[in-house]
């Protein structure tokens, strides 16, 4: 069993925590740029009969 699983985390949460730790460890100039990549968006599209609709 992997250590992140033993700690009660799934792989996605583990990788999020690792990425956050790396971003916080960067120099201030690079940190500002890396924090911009921290934002995620999701677009949901409904489908009916094999076609997308709004």
């Amino acid at each position: 069993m992997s250590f992140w699983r033993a700690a009660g985390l799934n792989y996605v949460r583990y990788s999020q925590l690792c990425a956050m730790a790396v971003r916080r460890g960067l120099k201030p100039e690079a940190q500002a740029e890396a924090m911009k990549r921290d934002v995620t968006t999701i677009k949901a599209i409904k489908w009916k009969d094999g076609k997308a609709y709004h």
Side-chain angles (χ1 to χ4, degrees):
M1 179 182 282
S2 57
F3 67 92
W4 48 267
R5 177 85 53 193
L9 299 171
N10 63 26
Y11 182 75
V12 173
R13 183 65 183 141
Y14 165 73
S15 65
Q16 288 173 336
L17 290 171
C18 290
M20 189 171 34
V22 169
R23 286 186 195 108
R24 287 183 180 170
L26 295 172
K27 291 182 179 179
E29 310 85 46
Q31 187 178 26
E33 189 66 30
M35 287 300 195
K36 292 178 187 175
R37 291 186 226 114
D38 194 29
V39 178
T40 58
T41 57
I42 297 174
K43 180 179 179 181
I45 299 173
K46 294 184 180 185
W47 290 77
K48 185 175 182 180
D49 297 327
K51 296 184 180 182
Y53 68 95
H54 301 283

